[in-house]
Amino acid sequence: MLFLVAALLVFGVLVGAAAHLPLPVTLIAASVIGGWLLAFAVRERIVQGRRS
C-alpha cells in the first residue's frame, strides 16, 4: 500500500512538472523515457531467452 501511495505521489509530481514545461520539451523527455524503457525491455527479453 505504501508503494502505491509513493508511486501516485511521484506520478503527480511528474504530471505537474510536465504541465509547466513547453510541449517540445515534454515530448523530448517522453521520447527519452520511452527509449530507455524499450532498451530495458529488449535487454530483459534477451536475458530471459538465455535462461530458458
Side-chain angles (χ1 to χ4, degrees):
M1 184 68 181
L2 185 60
F3 176 74
L4 180 61
V5 171
L8 288 173
L9 177 68
V10 170
F11 180 71
V13 168
L14 290 177
V15 169
H20 295 286
L21 291 174
L23 183 61
V25 175
T26 304
L27 293 176
I28 290 170
S31 63
V32 168
I33 292 170
W36 178 72
L37 289 172
L38 182 64
F40 179 77
V42 168
R43 189 182 69 175
E44 286 296 312
R45 184 168 291 265
I46 290 171
V47 169
Q48 284 289 337
R50 288 182 186 169
R51 287 183 187 162
S52 57

